[in-house]
Amino acid sequence: MAEQDFGTGCPAPRGRTRHRGRARSGAALVTAGLAFLAVLAPTPSAAGGGEPRPLVPARFVPGPCPTTPEPVPGRCGYLEVPENRARRGGRTVRLSVAIVPAASGRPAADPVVFMTGGPGADAISDIPFLIDSGVNRDRDLIVMAQRGTLHSRPNLACPEVDRFYAEAVGLGYDAPATGRRLVRATRACRDRLTASGVDLSAYNTTENAADFADLRRALGIERWNVYGYSYGTDLALTHLRRHPWGVRSVAIDSVVPPQVVSLPWTWDSAREGITTVFAACAAQPRCAHRYPDLRRTLTEQVRRLEARPLTVMAAPPSGGAPVRVVLDGGALVNLLVANAVPAVDVPAALDELAHGNPERFARARAAGATPVVGEFAHGLTQSVACAEWVPGYSRADLLRAGRRAFPGWPDSVLAQAPQLPFEHDVCRVWNVPDRTAVQRVTTTSAVPALVLSGTFDAKTGARWGAYAARTLSRSTTVRIPGIGHWVVPQSPCAQRVLASFLTRPTGPDTRCVAGLAPKPFTITPPPETA
């Protein structure tokens, strides 16, 4: 079972090399909830007034930096905020904060604050990628662990779910028995967290956005620039809508528009990303000649594996003894969506699979057998997804979206949202209130915005960047050919565009994009001559 990052839903396997981007995808709220949320943060119509004072002030406390594989090159501390801002006098949460100095000797006064993906990913571990990408070139970089994640207290990690994912590589991806095991693991995590006093309903995008607003005030920053990727774009757009004060610019990378994200939406993104890879192969003569009609090849393999799953032994890419993996149709699709096999190798991998060699996909699936237990906050994933993404759409809606995206595929594959399998069942167990009335809302803003998308992104399809930009009146939309999820760490051109945007938000230099094209695809000898 591919782990996720919305994109995620669930975490992408860590252990990626530093220079490759990491993966990391209603009904009305009850009347009382609407009443208190109106107090928590401004509506867009309030943006012209002065910034309101929070009912419960947050405080920043300097302290040591979190222990990480690569030491944090800056100063640190933690932000203390209410767990639930509607409950005065309730418990508080602590969120680790790292402030990385600008590489320039004369940094600009307005720093960059980073919002990571997931939801549930560890933002602190993204610092090396951000530094390598030059995000702190001319400005200090502020990175805060989102509520419920690894370097916050409480940490909504679910070792029970991590252990399930490790076992799931040897199970049918979309088999009902697999779903029941996932639900049991999720229930065990929920029971443990709630027994410790965690209010799961407070781990949502509204509170998350308010945390960042509190951070800016607590640090005494007049203006800052927001950069978010994947779920961090959902969060950044929510932050901009509810807390526009002090936001100089917003850069969103691999876009999740809060007004549309849902389980059916994931099939649209999967179709766009996968078919764009196939179209790029068709545009390269050698690839087109060697691997004709990849869409048909994929459909044939999804149907074949779903009818007769393969069970093979494969060594995890990180090393170690081979493990038992099962490749069925659902596993194949989710490996493609997760970019677990690099896009340049996908045509070759599908051709090899069609000719009896599943090694590339089997090794990619085996990577899930060695998760870092406790690193990813599945609790935040489910609190956000079950409150904000799942409500309002039925299982039938999800299946119809899958059929539209990939006609002819088995219903057993299409019934599960990419990267979020069995989510309706999981959410029934997680049991948090529906928040779609306050979260499925369009952000309309004149704050300068940069909207970055990769054309090979099958988690957050590139067209959703342009969609979000329609209501951002001073936005620049950039599509980077041949790049998947989280564009900036993977594309030197995107890094240059982001740097120029931070210097001049209303007129970034995008000239480097014109000369870009997907890299050549891997070409293997035909089976008869291999």
Side-chain angles (χ1 to χ4, degrees), residues 455-491:
T455 61
F456 285 1
D457 187 352
K459 293 182 181 181
T460 58
R463 78 183 186 94
W464 294 108
Y467 178 88
R470 296 187 310 174
T471 56
L472 304 175
S473 61
R474 292 200 291 170
S475 60
T476 301
T477 302
V478 174
R479 292 162 60 104
I480 303 294
I483 297 294
H485 201 60
W486 197 8
V487 176
V488 165
Q490 302 180 76
S491 168

Side-chain angles (χ1 to χ4, degrees), residues 1-18:
M1 180 168 294
E3 296 175 303
Q4 67 200 73
D5 168 324
F6 241 4
T8 178
C10 292
R14 310 298 274 180
R16 279 167 274 200
T17 58
R18 184 189 285 189

Side-chain angles (χ1 to χ4, degrees), residues 108-113 139-142 221 223-226 502:
D110 44 274
V112 178
V113 64
R139 286 167 171 78
D140 289 351
L141 169 66
I142 302 172
I221 295 171
R223 294 198 310 167
W224 66 9
N225 306 276
V226 176
L502 292 171

Side-chain angles (χ1 to χ4, degrees), residues 127-145:
I127 290 174
F129 294 87
L130 298 168
I131 293 174
D132 283 359
S133 300
V135 178
N136 71 320
R137 188 183 73 176
D138 298 313
R139 286 167 171 78
D140 289 351
L141 169 66
I142 302 172
V143 178
M144 181 168 72

Side-chain angles (χ1 to χ4, degrees), residues 16-17 20-21 277-278 317 335-350 352 359-361 363-365 456 482-485 490 519-522:
R16 279 167 274 200
T17 58
R20 290 184 52 195
V277 172
F278 293 170
L335 290 169
L336 292 174
V337 171
N339 197 32
V341 173
V344 293
D345 295 335
V346 163
L350 285 172
E352 290 166 352
E359 181 179 355
R360 292 185 201 256
F361 287 112
R363 282 178 58 82
R365 183 124 162 88
F456 285 1
I483 297 294
H485 201 60
Q490 302 180 76
K519 294 178 180 178
F521 288 91
T522 300

Side-chain angles (χ1 to χ4, degrees), residues 35 156 182 307 309 311-312 325 390 422 441-442:
L156 271 58
L182 174 58
T311 300
V312 298
V325 302
V390 173
F422 305 102
V441 180
T442 300

Side-chain angles (χ1 to χ4, degrees), residues 18-71:
R18 184 189 285 189
H19 292 283
R20 290 184 52 195
R22 285 185 293 176
R24 275 250 228 271
S25 234
L29 195 68
V30 292
T31 303
L34 287 173
F36 78 71
L37 283 165
V39 177
L40 288 180
T43 61
S45 62
E51 181 175 8
R53 300 176 68 87
L55 296 177
V56 182
R59 65 183 187 124
F60 176 76
V61 180
C65 291
T67 301
T68 56
E70 297 185 44

Side-chain angles (χ1 to χ4, degrees), residues 6-7 27 59 62 69 74 78 127 153 167 207 216 267 273 299 333 343 348 410 418 449 466 473 475 519:
F6 241 4
R59 65 183 187 124
Y78 65 83
I127 290 174
R153 294 295 178 268
E167 297 168 358
E207 295 280 8
R216 184 182 63 81
W267 277 120
T299 295
V333 172
S473 61
S475 60
K519 294 178 180 178

